[in-house]
């Protein structure tokens, strides 16, 4: 036959529960005791006045209409949202003093587009100027080349003419040198004409 085993309550658990509870009570007690029970006010913030006897009115109802002595309407060239206010209502202003800053993303976007367009035009002008300088350089180079080719053809022609006149050179070499000299002369004239137009 089985016997029922009765569990003994642990004294250690009981002691731990008592210690934790005591600590919690001490912490809460210390917290509430250290709470400020007074409020300090600066001397400048205290307002005093002489006490007088009279009728106390909690609220004063007045019905009236107000109209400004001078009114000025302020308009802006372009609308937008007010980003920053520099002057408050009723404040006296001087000429040129800013009142508010208005922010318009479309205007800023248009300004950036215009600035980009101007930069592109400047870049295109620089490219065109560089291209003109390159063309001028190439024309000068072609002029020098044509002058050099003409001088070379002239020397070859003079040599072949002397050889042919002395009956040492061939007629075909003389004819080729003469033909090349005519070609280089015409080429030089065309290049010079284009250069000085």
């Amino acid at each position: 036959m089985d016997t029922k085993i009765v569990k003994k309550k642990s004294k250690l658990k009981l002691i731990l529960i008592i210690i934790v509870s005591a600590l919690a009570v001490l912490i809460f007690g210390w917290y509430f005791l250290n709470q400020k029970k007074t409020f300090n006010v600066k001397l400048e913030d205290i307002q005093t006045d002489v006490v007088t006897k009279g009728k106390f009115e909690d609220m004063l109802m007045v019905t009236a209409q107000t109209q400004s002595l001078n009114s000025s309407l302020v308009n802006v060239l372009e609308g937008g949202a007010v980003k920053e206010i520099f002057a408050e209502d009723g404040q006296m202003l001087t000429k040129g003093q800013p009142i508010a800053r208005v922010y318009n993303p479309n205007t800023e976007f248009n300004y950036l587009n215009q600035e980009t367009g101007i930069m592109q035009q400047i870049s295109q002008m620089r490219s065109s100027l560089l291209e003109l300088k390159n063309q001028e350089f190439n024309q000068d180079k072609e002029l020098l080349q044509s002058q050099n080719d003409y001088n070379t053809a002239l020397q070859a022609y003079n040599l072949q003419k002397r050889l042919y006149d002395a009956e040492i050179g061939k007629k075909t070499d003389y004819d080729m040198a003469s033909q090349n000299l005519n070609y280089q002369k015409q080429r030089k004239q065309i290049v010079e004409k284009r250069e000085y137009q």
Side-chain angles (χ1 to χ4, degrees), residues 9 12 17 29-30 38 44-45 49 52 58 82 86 96 106 121 129 140 170 191:
K9 287 188 178 178
L12 183 60
I17 291 172
W30 178 77
T38 59
E44 307 87 54
D45 295 339
D49 202 355
T52 57
D58 193 349
V82 176
F86 300 116
N106 291 333
Q121 287 177 358
L129 185 63
D140 291 344
K170 298 179 186 175
V191 171

Side-chain angles (χ1 to χ4, degrees), residues 46-75:
I46 297 175
Q47 294 179 355
T48 59
D49 202 355
V50 178
V51 177
T52 57
K53 192 171 185 177
K55 186 178 177 185
F56 176 74
E57 291 188 25
D58 193 349
M59 182 190 298
L60 180 61
M61 294 285 290
V62 176
T63 304
Q65 272 189 330
T66 59
Q67 187 174 1
S68 62
L69 183 62
N70 296 318
S71 294
S72 298
L73 293 175
V74 179
N75 197 1

Side-chain angles (χ1 to χ4, degrees), residues 167-180:
E167 298 180 359
I168 300 173
K170 298 179 186 175
K171 172 124 174 75
T172 54
D173 291 342
Y174 171 72
D175 289 341
M176 283 180 66
S178 176
Q179 183 182 357
N180 188 31

Side-chain angles (χ1 to χ4, degrees), residues 4-35:
K4 187 175 181 182
I5 299 174
V6 179
K7 287 186 178 179
K8 296 179 183 177
K9 287 188 178 178
S10 172
K11 289 183 181 180
L12 183 60
K13 280 186 183 178
L14 187 60
I15 291 171
L16 281 176
I17 291 172
I18 291 170
I19 290 173
V20 170
S21 300
L23 277 175
V25 168
L26 283 174
I27 289 171
F28 281 116
W30 178 77
Y31 176 75
F32 286 118
L33 285 175
N34 284 335
Q35 290 295 317

Side-chain angles (χ1 to χ4, degrees), residues 76 78-87 99-105:
V76 292
E78 293 189 27
V82 176
K83 188 174 184 182
E84 191 174 353
I85 297 174
F86 300 116
I99 299 170
R101 178 182 292 154
V102 178
Y103 175 69
N104 188 340

Side-chain angles (χ1 to χ4, degrees), residues 63-179:
T63 304
Q65 272 189 330
T66 59
Q67 187 174 1
S68 62
L69 183 62
N70 296 318
S71 294
S72 298
L73 293 175
V74 179
N75 197 1
V76 292
L77 297 174
E78 293 189 27
V82 176
K83 188 174 184 182
E84 191 174 353
I85 297 174
F86 300 116
E88 297 298 327
D89 290 342
Q91 182 179 345
M92 295 300 290
L93 300 173
T94 58
K95 185 176 181 181
Q97 180 181 351
I99 299 170
R101 178 182 292 154
V102 178
Y103 175 69
N104 188 340
N106 291 333
T107 304
E108 188 175 344
F109 182 70
N110 290 338
Y111 172 75
L112 289 174
N113 279 342
Q114 288 175 356
E115 191 177 54
T116 304
I118 290 169
M119 295 301 289
Q120 286 175 347
Q121 287 177 358
I122 290 171
S123 177
Q124 286 174 354
M125 286 175 61
R126 285 182 180 163
S127 296
S128 300
L129 185 63
L130 185 63
E131 190 175 334
L132 286 172
K133 286 186 177 182
N134 281 339
Q135 285 178 358
E136 186 180 344
F137 173 75
N138 287 334
Q139 285 176 352
D140 291 344
K141 182 178 169 186
E142 192 173 350
L143 182 65
L144 284 173
Q145 184 66 42
S146 67
Q147 182 68 42
N148 186 44
D149 290 346
Y150 173 75
N151 291 339
T152 304
L154 182 61
Q155 288 174 355
Y157 170 76
N158 289 335
L159 176 66
Q160 289 301 327
K161 185 174 185 321
R162 279 194 311 242
L163 290 174
Y164 181 70
D165 288 343
E167 298 180 359
I168 300 173
K170 298 179 186 175
K171 172 124 174 75
T172 54
D173 291 342
Y174 171 72
D175 289 341
M176 283 180 66
S178 176
Q179 183 182 357

